[in-house]
Amino acid sequence: MEIQTESASDFSQRMAKAYMYGALSFVAIGIAWAAVFIIMGWWLVVGMDLIIVALGGVIYFSMRKGHLRFGVFLAQVGLLLVAITMGILLDVPTAEYPRVVHIYLLSLASLGYLNYQREKSNIQLLIIVICLLAFIVLSCAPLASPYVLQMPDLLRTVGTWANATMATIILAASVHAIHSELVRKDKDSRRLMSALWNKEFKLVFQPQVDKSRKIIGAEALIRWHHPDKGEISPASFIPQAEQLDLMPDIGKWVLEEGCTVLKSWEQNPKLQHMNLSLNVSAKQLMHDEFEENLKKILNRTGVNPERLTLEITESVLVTGFEIARTKLATLNELGITVALDDFGTGYSSLSYLRQLPVQHVKIDRSFVRDASLNDGSKTFVKNLVQLCNDLGQNVVAEGVETEEQHKLLCEFGASDFQGYLYGKPTDLENFESQNLA
């Protein structure tokens, strides 16, 4: 069941709707001004208005089709160029009329900040800086040009008031959106931290098996058992935790809880052969105190680190490859096995497999599924498994759901397997009683 707080995808949907409605507004305004300038016979300005109409249309349909990043980028760059062009050719300040179109640049900068909070990127920062610099230049310099179009006084008056009003409304709406987002983040942060303090998180365990289907361990997966909403999938709260920089705290709890469980297995003769895999997020791994916290947990629980596997996703590779490699080497020195999770879905390359100190490579479920569907995918997965084996890395096949998939991956050389064919994630008591009796 989904929690009522917004996830990252909810926020994206709100952004998409905001840009869609804004794009439709610009289409309507562009058509209205184009009609005015057609009457006046100012065909150059009509052409500019039609460009605005076309731009708004493309942005609208991009958002409607789900191409959020492209639509946002097009809106920002397109409106930036339109504002600068209008400020130079149509909205040159005079003794009677001030320049007002540059106020749109502040609106664009504030929207850019909101986008940056949603998804940080250097391109977004660059757009914000350009908007602010262009605003300063258009505020301070008349930028006289021989191509300036002199509009009738009535039209210039109407245009000045209309643009100033609309730009101010957009700016106010942007400030409100930023405030709402900050309030939302604070509320979500408190809810997630409260869940951690109140022990509402729990671990569920999915079995991992060898070729003979003997259970050799499990992957521990986090769940949120909300007192009112019931069990909440990590897809609903992990993106929030990432955005709010709470993964180091939540990840530390996962490590503590997982190591405690693993230690209890070590003390049970029927379970002491078991390994346990725990997920580590990029932000958690790159945290300055990660290694120190991990060592304290290992010492406190007394767990055998050779039974522990930490899974990292490929996203860690873009946060700082050299730092990540050093940290993973430290894990190896502690005796911990490192697995590269969801291999092939993100930023991986063959050079990463050779350079990173990882012992296991988890082939993403999409490759496992496709391997049984067509010969091309089958050959690709076979070669991929062979490559990993040649590099001395064990291959874990994720998402195995059919006998055919199990048989194929065995033939290809995969050593370990995980998926619904062997068991779904379940709580600790059921996992131990059902699979380890």
Side-chain angles (χ1 to χ4, degrees):
M1 184 178 293
E2 298 291 337
I3 191 169
Q4 290 181 344
T5 54
E6 292 179 317
S7 65
S9 59
D10 295 327
F11 181 50
S12 295
Q13 290 300 316
R14 290 195 301 112
M15 290 293 295
K17 289 182 179 180
Y19 274 95
M20 284 172 62
Y21 294 141
L24 289 178
S25 299
F26 276 97
V27 168
I29 293 171
I31 292 175
W33 279 110
V36 172
F37 290 118
I38 286 175
I39 295 174
M40 298 177 60
W42 287 16
W43 300 108
L44 177 61
V45 184
V46 171
M48 293 174 58
D49 286 324
L50 292 180
I51 291 175
I52 295 176
V53 172
L55 179 65
V58 173
I59 295 170
Y60 174 79
F61 285 107
S62 296
M63 293 294 180
R64 188 164 186 175
K65 294 293 184 180
H67 304 302
L68 181 59
R69 288 186 179 87
F70 174 75
V72 169
F73 177 78
L74 184 63
Q76 290 179 305
V77 174
L79 294 178
L80 173 62
L81 295 176
V82 168
I84 292 175
T85 302
M86 290 182 63
I88 295 175
L89 297 181
L90 295 176
D91 196 27
V92 176
T94 64
E96 294 82 14
Y97 303 103
R99 173 183 279 136
V100 295
V101 74
H102 62 298
I103 302 176
Y104 285 110
L105 295 170
L106 286 182
S107 303
L108 284 175
S110 60
L111 286 173
Y113 173 77
L114 195 58
N115 293 329
Y116 183 77
Q117 292 301 308
R118 180 181 62 85
E119 185 174 6
K120 293 177 172 56
S121 72
N122 292 330
I123 294 178
Q124 190 64 72
L125 283 178
L126 179 62
I127 291 175
I128 294 173
V129 171
I130 293 175
C131 286
L132 295 177
L133 290 177
F135 172 81
I136 293 172
V137 172
L138 290 176
S139 298
C140 301
L143 298 180
S145 169
Y147 302 103
V148 171
L149 298 176
Q150 300 296 332
M151 289 187 290
D153 289 345
L154 177 61
L155 194 61
R156 183 64 188 269
T157 300
V158 173
T160 298
W161 281 93
N163 281 317
T165 300
M166 174 165 288
T168 302
I169 291 174
I170 295 176
L171 182 59
S174 301
V175 172
H176 174 72
I178 292 173
H179 172 72
S180 298
E181 183 62 14
L182 292 175
V183 170
R184 183 190 69 86
K185 282 188 174 183
D186 181 63
K187 185 182 297 183
D188 290 350
S189 178
R190 284 187 277 109
R191 285 178 177 173
L192 284 170
M193 289 306 297
S194 176
L196 189 59
W197 296 331
N198 295 331
K199 298 182 179 181
E200 295 173 7
F201 291 123
K202 68 176 183 177
L203 294 181
V204 294
F205 300 82
Q206 185 170 27
Q208 295 176 331
V209 303
D210 60 14
K211 288 185 176 181
S212 65
R213 303 196 186 188
K214 176 185 176 183
I215 296 177
I216 58 174
E219 178 182 2
L221 304 167
I222 190 171
R223 296 291 186 267
W224 182 358
H225 188 74
H226 195 279
D228 299 322
K229 306 297 180 182
E231 188 169 293
I232 300 170
S233 166
S236 298
F237 67 86
I238 291 298
Q240 288 180 330
E242 289 278 6
Q243 284 189 334
L244 298 168
D245 293 324
L246 295 178
M247 281 311 298
D249 292 321
I250 295 176
K252 183 179 177 182
W253 175 87
V254 171
L255 287 174
E256 184 90 42
E257 192 75 7
C259 287
T260 301
V261 170
L262 185 56
K263 182 61 179 179
S264 71
W265 289 352
E266 291 177 7
Q267 297 171 338
N268 187 328
K270 293 184 178 180
L271 305 175
Q272 59 188 201
H273 67 285
M274 298 287 289
N275 300 313
L276 184 64
S277 295
L278 302 174
N279 292 283
V280 175
S281 71
K283 288 188 176 181
Q284 181 184 359
L285 178 68
M286 302 304 285
H287 194 273
D288 293 338
E289 299 179 356
F290 173 73
E291 296 98 315
E292 187 63 29
N293 287 333
L294 177 59
K295 291 177 183 178
K296 290 180 180 179
I297 291 173
L298 294 177
N299 292 331
R300 187 160 53 247
T301 59
V303 73
N304 179 6
E306 294 181 358
R307 293 292 181 187
L308 179 63
T309 298
L310 297 185
E311 299 185 6
I312 63 167
T313 60
E314 298 172 18
S315 60
V316 74
L317 304 179
V318 297
T319 61
F321 178 78
E322 290 300 329
I323 298 177
R325 182 167 65 173
T326 301
K327 285 176 173 285
L328 296 183
T330 300
L331 298 183
N332 288 168
E333 292 172 1
L334 293 173
I336 296 172
T337 299
V338 177
L340 184 59
D341 196 13
D342 297 334
F343 179 73
T345 61
Y347 310 95
S348 59
S349 72
L350 300 183
S351 64
Y352 288 147
L353 284 180
R354 181 173 54 84
Q355 297 179 56
L356 283 175
V358 299
Q359 292 72 52
H360 291 172
V361 175
K362 301 190 75 173
I363 301 296
D364 183 68
R365 65 184 65 248
S366 61
F367 292 112
V368 172
R369 180 189 65 245
D370 293 344
S372 61
L373 298 180
N374 60 75
D375 292 337
S377 296
K378 183 185 298 184
T379 301
F380 174 80
V381 174
K382 180 180 180 180
N383 292 336
L384 185 59
V385 174
Q386 183 63 52
L387 173 65
C388 294
N389 287 336
D390 290 343
L391 292 173
Q393 293 153 341
N394 294 329
V395 173
V396 182
E398 283 190 293
V400 179
E401 298 182 354
T402 67
E403 296 289 346
E404 181 184 4
Q405 292 170 354
H406 176 87
K407 182 180 178 181
L408 274 177
L409 270 298
C410 281
E411 293 175 357
F412 293 164
S415 59
D416 303 325
F417 305 83
Q418 182 178 338
Y420 284 179
L421 181 63
Y422 320 106
K424 296 182 179 181
T426 185
D427 61 48
L428 180 62
E429 183 179 356
N430 286 331
F431 176 79
E432 294 179 347
S433 63
Q434 294 177 9
N435 297 305
L436 306 172

